[in-house]
Amino acid sequence: LPVSLDATSVPPPPAQRGRLSLTRVAVAAAVVVVIGALLWRWRGPAAPASIDSAPVVAVGRIVSYGADSAARSLAGPVSDLLATSLARAPGLRVVSQGRMLELMRRAPADTGAGAFVYAARQAGATEVVDGTLYARAGGRLRLDLRRVDLATGAIGSVHTVEGDDLFALVDSGTNRLLSSLGSRSPLGSVADVTTRSVAAYRMYT
């Protein structure tokens, strides 16, 4: 008996099947590209995470303990050097001491720790670092530091460091703070980017 074959039931030759597979792949890839472009346009380009998520730190009040004149003369320079040293760390934003002093002048009749907190908040800081400086026997210095969350007032971490001089003290304090912040410590010493004269810093006010 004669057999009637439907043209649609006959499989295409191998070469034609290969061309059809390549065509399907090309069409699918084009669809994926178009959908991706539409999603990107709808959402917009993502902001750099390292900028948006980086903590903003301000160095607040550093006070001296007791009546030691050496500690009193170095309390101000410690604040400035600590801010400079922290600012060298990658992925961390630090409010400059100049900006802090500018904003403190606008604080509502408060010259104590409240003025530093006010200035830090106005500068957009997320936390403030304050501390106490002690003069130890033999000319060594001790610095107690604490991190305070400006949104809640909660103390984040407390650190105690010592050093034979002003720069070693600030370097140690920087390393401890950055470790608690999850940031990498900068290379070298803060003395590499500022004056090495302790006498000059003793005149700092």
Side-chain angles (χ1 to χ4, degrees), residues 22-41:
L22 291 175
T23 301
R24 292 192 186 99
V25 171
V27 170
V31 169
V32 170
V33 170
V34 170
I35 293 175
L38 291 174
L39 288 174
W40 183 89
R41 184 176 180 180

Side-chain angles (χ1 to χ4, degrees), residues 36-119:
L38 291 174
L39 288 174
W40 183 89
R41 184 176 180 180
W42 176 59
R43 293 181 180 179
S50 60
I51 295 176
D52 290 346
S53 61
V56 182
V57 177
V59 177
R61 190 183 189 189
I62 305 292
V63 298
S64 60
Y65 179 80
D68 186 88
S69 59
R72 287 201 311 271
S73 66
L74 291 177
V78 166
S79 298
D80 185 69
L81 280 173
L82 191 57
T84 300
S85 187
L86 289 172
R88 297 186 303 137
L92 186 70
R93 291 181 289 173
V94 181
V95 181
S96 71
Q97 287 300 97
R99 180 60 173 162
M100 287 289 290
L101 293 174
E102 175 191 352
L103 292 172
M104 284 175 62
R105 288 194 287 267
R106 306 177 190 174
D110 189 346
T111 59
F116 285 93
V117 172
Y118 171 86

